Amino acid sequence: MLGVGPNGGKGAIQSPVDLIEAPGNALFYLGESGAVFRLGPDGHATRYATGPVRESADEVLTPLSIALAPDGSILLAAISEADLLTIYRLTPGNPAERLTTAGKAKSPNNVHLVTDSAGEVLLLKDGWLSKTSGSGGLESLPRPTGLPGSAEVLAAAKDGQDLLLALTDELLWIRDGHIARRVRLRGTINAADGVTLAPDGQGGAYYANRSSHISRFHANGGQGILVTGRGIASTACSDGIVSGPTGDGRIQEFGEITGLVRRGDQLAVADKACSRLLAIGLPAKESPWK
């Protein structure tokens, strides 16, 4: 869809850190500088908003996640070198606005911003969700009955009127603060890898971790593998997009998957290590879960 790999050249883009839907059948992707770009349905990409300015030359801010707010602005979660997490508001033509500081994050790979069915932006940090309060602080959401206090959520995504949550060994659909449905996984998700999640539109979900494996969890509990990637350690990023319209994503070499968005008959994938956005045609071939 966009980008030619980590070595630059014509069509090069900033390494994408996160990927979300945007109005008008477009996509927003978060670049490694903290800037947000819009990829239109025509394949043309433009800078949408700039990221936060470092307060000193020594400050290191690492962008982690973005979400679209009800007012059309974009909220950005970024972490400092001291692991301090801050939420910013980004709007076109304006400097980034610091909204709130969310304390330290013990696992930055599992920090996500997600928009719920009411349009509110929630922060997933340290295994659970919170929302911005009227005073600018953060309030932890109550856990639904049946979810142990020790259970850690690794990723979240909006799925219609439900909030889809990925735990290490199951998927949960939360509606009105209650568990509406849960699907046990045959294996377990590696919490240390970092996880991204997208509903499949059929009561299941697509899941990827940063070691570049993409799986599908079906509504009936079945599981299949779409992509077995080489992972972050590999530097072999092919320049061509080899996934065909019938969708055999397994032949594509992914480097580090940091975002998934399903839209229509495609699964959009952000590949940070290979500095590109790719699309897998749906329905995609699946290999048995081992």
Side-chain angles (χ1 to χ4, degrees):
M1 296 174 70
L2 199 66
V4 294
N7 297 322
K10 185 178 180 181
I13 65 171
Q14 284 189 25
S15 294
V17 177
D18 197 8
L19 182 67
I20 63 171
E21 293 182 84
N25 195 30
L27 295 168
F28 285 133
Y29 70 93
L30 171 63
E32 60 186 346
S33 71
V36 174
F37 300 84
R38 181 182 183 274
L39 176 62
D42 60 355
H44 183 64
T46 55
R47 183 185 291 263
Y48 183 80
T50 57
V53 176
R54 294 183 301 168
E55 296 182 358
S56 71
D58 296 329
E59 184 182 22
V60 177
L61 284 177
T62 301
L64 300 177
S65 183
I66 53 173
L68 185 64
D71 62 1
S73 65
I74 291 179
L75 300 191
L76 162 70
I79 196 165
S80 71
E81 198 169 14
D83 295 331
L84 190 64
L85 187 65
T86 302
I87 310 299
Y88 298 87
R89 186 189 308 278
L90 309 182
T91 53
N94 296 307
E97 175 190 359
R98 185 191 297 263
L99 292 183
T100 187
T101 299
K104 291 193 174 185
K106 66 181 182 181
S107 180
N109 283 347
N110 293 326
V111 169
H112 296 279
L113 292 173
V114 59
T115 304
D116 66 10
S117 59
E120 287 188 287
V121 177
L122 307 179
L123 170 66
L124 174 59
K125 167 184 170 287
D126 296 341
W128 189 238
L129 297 153
S130 57
K131 66 177 181 178
T132 303
S133 67
S135 61
L138 290 166
E139 296 178 354
S140 179
L141 296 181
R143 286 177 174 259
T145 302
L147 180 64
S150 60
E152 290 200 355
V153 177
L154 306 180
K158 180 177 175 290
D159 188 3
Q161 294 302 306
D162 297 339
L163 189 63
L164 171 61
L165 306 180
L167 281 66
T168 55
D169 57 356
E170 65 180 333
L171 300 181
L172 302 179
W173 281 261
I174 307 298
R175 184 181 304 169
D176 298 326
H178 301 280
I179 298 175
R181 188 161 61 93
R182 62 200 313 164
V183 173
R184 295 286 298 182
L185 307 181
R186 294 181 182 175
T188 57
I189 296 175
N190 187 344
D193 280 350
V195 177
T196 185
L197 193 65
D200 68 358
Q202 300 179 32
Y206 296 103
Y207 140 81
N209 60 26
R210 289 177 182 253
S211 57
S212 304
H213 302 289
I214 302 179
S215 302
R216 183 183 180 190
F217 303 135
H218 295 265
N220 63 6
Q223 297 172 203
I225 300 174
L226 276 69
V227 172
T228 301
R230 291 194 174 189
I232 302 171
S234 172
T235 57
C237 297
S238 60
D239 291 337
I241 298 175
V242 295
S243 297
T246 57
D248 187 355
R250 289 171 294 163
I251 59 177
Q252 177 64 62
E253 296 175 358
F254 290 94
E256 181 183 1
I257 297 174
T258 52
L260 290 179
V261 172
R262 184 194 61 82
R263 54 173 191 167
D265 60 354
Q266 290 185 334
L267 181 66
V269 184
D271 186 345
K272 178 183 177 183
C274 291
S275 304
R276 59 194 174 177
L277 303 178
L278 300 160
I280 298 174
L282 300 176
K285 296 179 182 179
E286 298 180 28
S287 299
W289 182 274
K290 297 179 181 180

